Amino acid sequence: MSSIRARITLGASLIVAVVLVIGAALFLWTLDRTLTSSLADTAERSAEALASGLDEDDGRIAEADDDDLVQLLDEDGTVLAANDEAAGLPAITDPDRDERTIEVDDDRYVVVTASAEDGVLALGVPLDEVEDSVAATRGLLFVAVPLLVLVVAGVTWTTVGRSLRPVETMRSDVSGIGASDLARRVEVPPGRDEIPRLARTMNAMLERLEASARQQRQFVSDASHELRSPIASMRQSAEVLQRHPSADLDLPATVLAETDRLDGLVSAMLVLARSDEHGLALRRQPVDVDDLVLAETTRLRAAGLEVDGSAIAPARIDADRRLLGQVVRNLADNAARHARTAVAFSVSEGDGRATITVDDDGDGIAAADRERVFGRFVRLDEGRARDAGGSGLGLAIVAEVVRAHGGRVGIDDSPLGGARFTVQLPVHPPETPAP
């Protein structure tokens, strides 16, 4: 009984069988009591008629049915007279008792009493007809109950089978979907019950799997291209130097620069891979956000940029210092690559949140691309994306780290003329990061 269809059918049949058996037993008991009570009422009237005849006949018992038991009892229960059926029997009831059931020679009788002039007349009427009726009904129920159980089992088996047929169809369809044909979808059956909702849920899951697979293939392709570039640069320099030993090439410097680039790419991809696998593991501690931003302003000034840090105010939050520092570093590098001459930072705290803004005076980002730039290896067609040294992963890491901290990041137009990146982080984030 491994299938749901069989288990449901068996369970429904057992429940119906138990209910029918209990109901049949109660029905037979009620039928016996009802028929016995009805027979007792008829016997009481017959007993009263016999008692009246007894009075008129000066103590002699009038004629009764051949199968009835008739006795005349005194106040102590002594048998004063009896008909032929009751001759030799002890008192069949007590004089003070209205009704009882007795058994004589394997025959059951219902006994009633009626007052007579010389005592109490006791009349016992056989219950043969009652027992025959109950036995006939029992025989019918013995056949009807199993038939009803079989009917219920058949109806349940058929109904459940029809209900689960779309599920089996979906299972068969899904079992044939592989990594190469994730674009296939299961057919949604008509209706508004759980089955169509299950089909729509499975199609939504397939859509997510398809998007994830497509993103993974794109990620592998882009990563391969990005990793191949520094390797090709080092190989090219080595080959030139090998063929022309006197060439003026600084191979160690080239190797170190490209190695740093590779290290940055690998580190960025590891961060994103951990985020995709099970989320970023945050080591929260009190972090002074203003200190992280001030450190970046100092670094960019040393690179020759005009940096405005006058709007940096103290702000402290519970965060992962290393990852938050990477967010600030990536935003600073992004602004420095695209700025013409100036970059501005600001930090503020209020309403339970710390806000970081980074402005530049570059070309800005079109509104249609402000969500897309947080994708992995995304490079816009505009001049802003044609930078040197950018891997296309910096802003993706910013989005993942901010989301893991329960915050949000957005892009607007900057007062300097370029783009403004705004990061809002909760001072005391909840236990579970916001989705």
Side-chain angles (χ1 to χ4, degrees), residues 280 282 284 317-320 323-324 327 351-354 397-409 423-435:
L280 294 173
L282 303 180
R284 297 186 185 273
I317 66 173
D318 292 334
D320 188 306
L323 291 177
L324 186 57
V327 167
D351 297 330
R353 287 184 173 272
I397 291 176
V398 168
E400 292 294 340
V401 173
V402 170
R403 181 162 47 244
H405 280 83
R408 59 177 180 264
V409 58
V423 174
Q424 291 184 323
L425 298 168
V427 175
H428 300 290
E431 292 295 330
T432 303

Side-chain angles (χ1 to χ4, degrees), residues 43 49 183 250 325 341:
D250 190 357
T341 58

Side-chain angles (χ1 to χ4, degrees), residues 39-386:
L39 184 62
D41 292 339
T42 303
E44 287 180 356
R45 290 191 293 271
S46 298
E48 292 174 355
L50 288 173
S52 299
L54 180 66
D55 292 339
E56 294 174 356
D57 295 337
D58 298 329
R60 291 183 293 102
I61 296 178
E63 189 67 25
D65 291 341
D66 293 338
D67 296 331
D68 293 346
L69 303 177
V70 183
Q71 291 179 339
L72 180 62
L73 308 176
D74 61 10
E75 296 179 356
D76 297 331
T78 303
V79 178
L80 301 178
N83 67 346
D84 294 338
E85 288 292 327
L89 295 178
I92 59 177
T93 188
D94 297 331
D96 299 331
R97 196 162 185 172
D98 294 334
E99 178 184 334
R100 63 176 297 195
T101 301
I102 64 172
E103 186 172 336
V104 177
D105 296 333
D106 297 331
D107 294 327
R108 293 174 61 233
Y109 293 83
V110 60
V111 180
V112 296
T113 58
S115 298
E117 181 177 359
D118 297 330
V120 176
L121 185 126
L123 173 62
V125 178
L127 293 173
D128 295 342
E129 294 182 359
V130 173
E131 292 177 347
D132 292 342
S133 299
V134 173
T137 305
R138 185 185 298 111
L140 290 175
L141 291 176
F142 186 79
V143 175
V145 168
L147 286 177
L148 285 175
V149 172
L150 289 176
V151 170
V152 170
V155 171
T156 304
W157 179 268
T158 303
T159 303
V160 174
R162 290 180 178 177
S163 300
L164 294 179
R165 189 174 297 124
V167 177
E168 176 61 24
T169 302
M170 285 186 285
R171 186 204 63 78
S172 177
D173 292 342
V174 172
S175 65
I177 297 177
S180 60
D181 52 358
L182 289 175
R184 289 174 53 186
R185 298 292 182 266
V186 300
E187 182 180 356
V188 179
R192 298 182 179 179
D193 55 13
E194 291 81 358
I195 304 300
R197 291 202 297 270
L198 175 62
R200 288 189 287 269
T201 301
M202 295 182 70
N203 284 336
M205 178 191 67
L206 290 172
E207 290 176 3
R208 292 193 297 270
L209 289 174
E210 182 185 12
S212 177
R214 184 169 56 248
Q215 183 181 11
Q216 184 180 20
R217 288 192 296 268
Q218 185 64 38
F219 183 84
V220 172
S221 175
D222 293 338
S224 301
H225 175 74
E226 293 293 337
L227 291 173
R228 191 181 295 116
S229 297
I231 294 174
S233 177
M234 289 187 289
R235 182 182 182 86
Q236 182 181 11
S237 298
E239 288 178 349
V240 170
L241 193 59
Q242 183 182 28
R243 294 178 182 180
H244 306 282
S246 60
D248 187 13
L249 292 176
D250 190 357
L251 183 60
T254 302
V255 172
L256 287 175
E258 297 302 333
T259 302
D260 289 341
R261 184 178 176 188
L262 281 173
D263 181 68
L265 281 169
V266 173
S267 298
M269 287 188 289
L270 285 175
V271 170
L272 294 174
R274 286 195 297 267
S275 175
D276 289 340
E277 184 178 357
H278 48 66
L280 294 173
L282 303 180
R283 298 179 179 179
R284 297 186 185 273
Q285 59 180 318
V287 177
D288 292 321
V289 180
D290 53 310
D291 290 346
L292 298 177
V293 178
L294 285 172
E296 293 304 316
T297 62
T298 302
R299 184 175 66 87
L300 294 187
R301 286 194 185 104
L305 282 173
E306 179 184 343
V307 181
D308 180 9
S310 60
I312 299 175
R316 171 173 286 194
I317 66 173
D318 292 334
D320 188 306
R321 183 180 184 85
R322 182 182 62 83
L323 291 177
L324 186 57
Q326 191 169 5
V327 167
V328 178
R329 170 65 63 93
N330 289 353
L331 291 176
D333 288 342
N334 180 76
R337 280 195 299 270
H338 304 301
R340 292 188 176 92
T341 58
V343 176
F345 293 89
S346 71
V347 177
S348 62
E349 182 180 339
D351 297 330
R353 287 184 173 272
T355 303
I356 306 170
T357 60
V358 182
D359 295 277
D360 65 68
D361 62 349
D363 295 329
I365 300 177
D369 295 324
R370 290 177 180 176
E371 290 292 335
R372 195 163 63 91
V373 294
F374 292 107
R376 301 171 186 185
F377 296 108
V378 171
R379 300 199 179 232
L380 302 180
D381 295 333
E382 291 79 358
R384 180 180 179 88
R386 294 193 295 269

Side-chain angles (χ1 to χ4, degrees), residues 11-29:
S13 301
L14 287 177
I15 292 174
V16 171
V18 171
V19 171
L20 288 177
V21 168
I22 295 175
L26 290 175
F27 177 75
L28 291 174
W29 179 80

